[in-house]
Amino acid sequence: MRDNRIQNILRVNLSTGKTRLESIPEAWTAKYLGCRGIHSRLLFNEVPPGADPFGPDNVLYIGTGPLEGTPIGMGRLSVACKSPRGTVAEGSCGGFFGPELRRAGIDYLAIQGKADRPVYLWIHDQKSEIRDARHLWGRKINETDALLREELSDPDVQFRYIGPAGENLVHSSPIFGNRDNSGGRAGCGAVMGSKRLKAIAVRGSGGIRVADYEGFLKAYQHFRQRVGVGTSRDVWTPIWGAYGAPVIVRVFNDQGGIMTRNAQEMRWDEEKCNRISAEPYLEKYVTRAKACFCCPLPACKKQHEIRSGPFQGFRGGNLWAAIPSVFGPLLDNDDLELILVMAGMCNQFGLDVFHVAYTLAWAMECFEKGILTRADTDGLELRFGCPDKEGVLDLIRKIAMREGFGDLLARGCNEAAKMIGRGSEKFALVIKGQELEAIAQRNSYMVALGVAVSEVGPDHTRWYPPHPGHPGLLKNEDLSRLGVQLDLSKAAQGRNPEEKGKVLRWFTISRAIVESLPSCVFLVRDTLGFDLHPWHELFQTATGIRLDYSEFIRAGERVMNLDRAFLVREGFRRTDDQPPYRMATEDVPYFGFPKLDKPLFDRMLDDYYQANGWSLKTSIPRRHKLEELGLTDVVQDLEKRGMEVEP
Amino acid sequence: MIRLKLRYLAHVSMVTGILQEIYETQASSLKALLAELDQRYQGFKNMFVSSEGGELNLNAMIFYQPPGKNPTPAIDLNSPLEHNATLTFW
């Protein structure tokens, strides 16, 4: 039985073939909680500044946390490393790998060095073996899963693996599990590929013990009340509970939040939108729900099958909200079956859907404007609307395999635009070199600010939701009682820059906490984004560590500051926390929302940095803030490297 | 008589059986419209209005978009309805 107070880490050096199990300092559980928090600390401590992301010095961390394996953990797993684009690469995902890793007696893996041939790691009850994976190299995700299941002859073994895209160092490729479940889209899969690590398999037979069973049970029951379909006060819960997130495509379209034709427009034809939304998906294609470990809202992920037509027999799963948004309106494609196949191919080849969708959209706009021609695209008529379906699907394969025109797109639209030039940089929708997600910015300033400042590149899960909740759900005095000082009437106005920095700061801290326990960020429903008492109680009863509520909040703030410190140490500054050129220079057609011009955006950035205690000039955390958080070593590290840490 | 465009999302479309419709009504407020729709789709009103207090439920949302303007969440059941407005229920 595991004690949740002390966490451990299995260090695997692929250069030497040696493994070593170490304890993590006990004090770290109170300071950084676990999972993402521990990864932020390890990343800052162990990956040297300027390290080649694909070199042996970059470390790939995969880990859980003290609440994983309990029902509150929801199977969450964090993967982290230095991104191929130089930022923090951290992402969380669900499934069953996390609880299995803990049952095997391990909390974290640190993958160091580089193997001389393709290998996979087999972990079973604290024993580990590095095995030959030459027979798996080049295999797609579904093939790798099937081959490993057969090889290990145990249906309960859990896996994380990469596809051909990760092997071929396609920069944004994530790590996959359970066939179509991915995490770490800032390139964790590519870093895993650079180490020639094809897969990790884990099986455990141990258990997890919570320190105070009765207290934990009571806290868990309270939590379930807050997120249950019948009892939650959150507007999204009934929708999530029945349909899953793809239904938001229709809501976003109403609000000027659907990036259409590479965000040249922000409103899509209503009939097209209806055709790709969750309602027809559920009616025609879904075969069953597939929940993560202990999830109370199992509609989030589903399995589907196309039963007739040219794609008959195609099976896949996990059509999360952003997929129909980016493979639909962004490409002006209203063929839901094509969307399912495009997403399925990304999953099979180990590609990031945002990378593929935004890069295709950029290339389609280039084609529309005559910047690219058939001579550049291997003969493909790369037009919005995807008239050549087979051609587009083959291009996705080529991106993963880095063949022909696919090799250009494999670099992502930022790098591709730099290579092609001729003004195409202006419609490459990227922040810190990484492609956007589905959520639009000019109709919600919280989103605009949130994706711009994220230390991992655009990633809404670092702070979502984009508003404080239902207009009737919270009052200013409720927030004051929780120690949150802000004016909700201003914060709730989507296109009012006031209070956005403060709300974003709070949500970023609360997400850092939830992801560090870990628990699922999609269950931050009701007012749980502001009121972290239920999570606090769950942490205390699970670990036996008594921590003041204010100290618990401070742990989230510490994690957030460590991520920023890593980012600035790699050379990123305020000038990198900016919206894409198109959003900063073009008003939103039809809705009339103004562009995110410099004075407007600077005002929100100033507020955010000010609220965080970061330099307004550089975005480097200030000395007093780092010292207040007990991160004096970070101050020393930054100063040792000649960086100006303001008092 | 005014004409409205009504859009139903997710679980709401389970009750209505359709995703959207053009609807003609004499209802002059959101409250009156919900009462009418409840006659047409049994249980509709209860999805949006608390049976105890009669106020809008917190776990449901109605977007109201007057013609030519941007949509906003409806927070007042007595707010008037305009000809050619769009309402999204979710």
Side-chain angles (χ1 to χ4, degrees):
Chain A
M1 286 290 216
R2 301 295 314 282
D3 180 337
N4 298 318
R5 185 186 290 262
I6 302 165
Q7 306 181 66
N8 66 21
I9 183 164
L10 179 70
R11 295 194 177 275
V12 180
N13 188 325
L14 293 173
S15 298
T16 62
K18 296 210 167 117
T19 61
R20 192 176 73 244
L21 189 66
E22 289 175 3
S23 287
I24 281 179
E26 188 176 340
W28 282 24
T29 307
K31 275 187 96 174
Y32 311 107
L33 308 181
C35 206
R36 179 183 150 192
I38 298 284
H39 283 168
S40 296
R41 182 74 257 190
L42 288 167
L43 204 57
F44 188 86
N45 284 11
E46 297 179 359
V47 176
D52 174 5
F54 292 144
D57 286 344
N58 197 3
V59 187
L60 175 65
Y61 301 100
I62 298 179
T64 61
L67 268 71
E68 189 52 274
T70 76
I72 205 73
M74 314 286 170
R76 299 309 285 183
L77 181 77
S78 164
V79 294
C81 59
K82 177 179 175 180
S83 160
R85 295 189 171 99
T87 63
V88 176
E90 195 279 338
S92 76
C93 49
F96 297 84
F97 186 96
E100 199 66 28
L101 188 65
R102 291 210 82 211
R103 280 161 53 82
I106 294 168
D107 299 306
Y108 303 90
L109 304 171
I111 314 290
Q112 294 157 297
K114 194 171 190 170
D116 58 6
R117 65 189 191 291
V119 295
Y120 78 91
L121 181 64
W122 168 221
I123 299 165
H124 43 105
D125 285 337
Q126 289 197 341
K127 298 187 188 76
S128 57
E129 296 169 48
I130 297 168
R131 291 185 166 186
D132 196 310
R134 278 176 289 193
H135 60 302
L136 300 173
W137 204 248
R139 296 285 192 172
K140 290 187 276 190
I141 294 291
N142 48 342
E143 295 168 342
T144 305
D145 186 283
L147 284 166
L148 277 172
R149 277 186 198 288
E150 191 183 338
E151 191 168 317
L152 296 168
S153 307
D154 180 345
D156 292 324
V157 176
Q158 296 299 322
F159 302 104
R160 291 287 126 173
Y161 26 54
I162 55 168
E167 296 170 16
N168 295 325
L169 312 185
V170 176
H171 277 201
S172 54
S173 55
I175 296 173
F176 284 71
N178 304 100
R179 291 177 182 240
D180 40 40
N181 200 345
S182 66
R185 82 175 188 93
C188 293
V191 170
M192 188 162 156
S194 76
K195 296 183 177 303
R196 298 198 184 92
L197 179 65
K198 176 69 178 177
I200 303 167
V202 63
R203 184 76 172 102
S205 59
I208 310 296
R209 178 172 30 210
V210 294
D212 167 10
Y213 177 76
E214 292 300 326
F216 183 82
L217 194 62
K218 202 171 151 197
Y220 180 63
Q221 284 164 342
H222 174 60
F223 171 79
R224 285 296 296 256
Q225 281 282 116
R226 299 282 289 269
V227 302
V229 174
T231 48
S232 165
R233 296 179 298 165
D234 188 281
V235 67
W236 290 107
T237 306
I239 295 183
W240 255 235
Y243 278 81
V247 78
I248 63 175
V249 174
R250 292 177 68 207
V251 180
F252 282 4
N253 199 31
D254 285 349
Q255 298 173 308
I258 282 286
M259 288 187 259
T260 303
R261 299 168 67 90
N262 201 32
Q264 294 178 87
E265 299 152 33
M266 296 303 291
R267 184 179 170 86
W268 204 31
D269 180 274
E270 240 172 48
E271 289 301 325
K272 287 182 178 179
C273 209
N274 287 348
R275 280 197 280 278
I276 67 153
S277 186
E279 297 88 350
Y281 171 64
L282 198 74
E283 188 182 322
K284 291 184 193 163
Y285 304 104
V286 169
T287 51
R288 69 186 177 99
K290 182 185 168 190
C292 293
F293 179 79
C294 286
C295 179
L297 291 178
C300 185
K301 290 177 178 142
K302 292 184 171 67
Q303 297 286 290
H304 53 252
E305 182 180 356
I306 300 173
R307 299 183 180 96
S308 61
F311 304 118
Q312 185 177 2
F314 193 93
R315 290 178 186 175
N318 199 6
L319 188 77
W320 31 287
I323 293 176
S325 303
V326 295
F327 283 140
L330 193 72
L331 307 180
D332 197 12
N333 165 36
D334 66 341
D335 182 340
L336 181 54
E337 292 186 358
L338 182 62
I339 291 172
L340 297 182
V341 178
M342 290 168 91
M345 281 191 66
C346 286
N347 289 349
Q348 290 179 6
F349 281 94
L351 287 159
D352 170 44
V353 291
F354 295 120
H355 172 145
V356 172
Y358 277 95
T359 310
L360 284 177
W362 167 82
M364 284 174 182
E365 190 171 342
C366 284
F367 201 90
E368 192 176 61
K369 291 181 159 69
I371 296 170
L372 291 174
T373 67
R374 288 177 66 163
D376 303 297
T377 63
D378 304 337
L380 177 64
E381 280 280 323
L382 195 54
R383 296 199 179 279
F384 285 113
C386 304
D388 185 349
K389 295 181 173 54
E390 290 301 327
V392 168
L393 292 175
D394 192 48
L395 183 52
I396 292 176
R397 181 193 64 78
K398 283 178 163 177
I399 293 172
M401 305 310 288
R402 305 196 80 135
E403 286 177 17
F405 181 57
D407 183 52
L408 178 77
L409 302 192
R411 298 160 194 267
C413 53
N414 189 49
E415 208 176 310
K418 281 183 186 159
M419 290 170 74
I420 296 294
R422 287 179 279 165
S424 70
E425 305 92 327
K426 292 180 178 172
F427 47 87
L429 303 181
V430 294
I431 297 170
K432 299 187 182 81
Q434 184 164 302
E435 291 77 14
L436 290 183
E437 304 173 304
I439 309 172
Q441 291 118 65
R442 285 166 290 182
N443 65 335
S444 168
Y445 291 173
M446 171 91 173
V447 175
L449 186 63
V451 294
V453 301
S454 163
E455 284 80 18
V456 299
D459 181 352
H460 72 289
T461 66
R462 309 290 275 197
W463 46 264
Y464 205 77
H467 47 74
H470 192 289
L473 197 56
L474 272 173
K475 304 272 177 282
N476 283 334
E477 49 270 30
D478 299 332
L479 288 182
S480 290
R481 273 197 295 276
L482 294 166
V484 185
Q485 304 300 331
L486 57 88
D487 183 339
L488 271 172
S489 62
K490 290 175 183 163
Q493 292 167 353
R495 289 180 302 284
N496 178 348
E498 290 184 69
E499 299 293 273
K500 297 299 175 290
K502 284 191 213 162
V503 185
L504 180 66
R505 172 178 181 270
W506 184 260
F507 279 170
T508 306
I509 290 171
S510 74
R511 281 304 169 99
I513 290 170
V514 172
E515 290 187 325
S516 298
L517 295 172
S519 190
C520 180
V521 294
F522 298 102
L523 289 172
V524 181
R525 307 256 67 96
D526 198 316
T527 54
L528 286 171
F530 287 111
D531 179 8
L532 290 149
H533 284 93
W535 310 105
H536 177 232
E537 193 56 22
L538 285 158
F539 174 80
Q540 291 196 118
T541 52
T543 61
I545 296 172
R546 304 308 296 177
L547 205 58
D548 283 351
Y549 184 69
S550 59
E551 266 305 305
F552 186 65
I553 301 298
R554 206 181 291 273
E557 198 179 359
R558 203 172 278 127
V559 173
M560 173 196 189
N561 276 273
L562 275 170
D563 286 346
R564 177 55 55 163
F566 183 92
L567 192 75
V568 296
R569 199 174 65 174
E570 291 294 335
F572 290 84
R573 293 291 184 269
R574 179 182 174 120
T575 47
D576 299 294
D577 288 348
Q578 298 294 329
Y581 183 84
R582 168 158 282 160
M583 284 63 184
T585 55
E586 296 176 15
D587 297 338
V588 173
Y590 181 85
F591 289 93
F593 305 150
K595 58 186 173 276
L596 299 162
D597 61 16
K598 193 163 166 28
L600 169 73
F601 204 76
D602 273 351
R603 185 176 163 193
M604 293 195 290
L605 263 188
D606 282 350
D607 284 349
Y608 180 66
Y609 293 163
Q610 183 90 46
N612 283 339
W614 296 353
S615 161
L616 299 188
K617 192 170 86 182
T618 62
S619 85
I620 296 173
R622 295 173 62 185
R623 174 190 297 275
H624 77 85
K625 174 53 68 179
L626 292 171
E627 287 180 349
E628 176 194 312
L629 295 170
L631 297 173
T632 309
D633 64 302
V634 173
V635 178
Q636 290 163 351
D637 186 281
L638 298 181
E639 286 185 333
K640 188 176 79 185
R641 296 170 203 288
M643 292 169 59
E644 186 193 352
V645 181
E646 294 175 17
Chain B
M1 187 76 81
I2 56 169
R3 180 181 293 174
L4 301 170
K5 183 172 190 178
L6 307 182
R7 306 181 67 229
Y8 309 116
L9 264 72
H11 57 302
V12 185
S13 72
M14 283 168 124
V15 173
T16 61
I18 50 173
L19 293 178
Q20 59 188 46
E21 65 181 321
I22 301 296
Y23 185 73
E24 292 196 340
T25 178
Q26 299 211 349
S28 57
S29 69
L30 185 54
K31 190 174 185 177
L33 176 68
L34 285 168
E36 264 188 34
L37 291 173
D38 196 54
Q39 295 292 313
R40 197 174 168 102
Y41 307 115
Q42 199 178 2
F44 191 90
K45 188 178 155 195
N46 281 350
M47 298 176 86
F48 297 95
V49 180
S50 152
S51 51
E52 291 99 42
E55 72 276 17
L56 282 162
N57 284 335
L58 293 178
N59 66 353
M61 186 73 91
I62 303 169
F63 270 19
Y64 178 67
Q65 183 179 17
K69 294 185 182 159
N70 291 318
T72 50
I75 49 172
D76 181 3
L77 277 168
N78 294 313
S79 53
L81 301 171
E82 280 183 58
H83 182 59
N84 282 337
T86 301
L87 287 99
T88 305
F89 297 90
W90 49 291

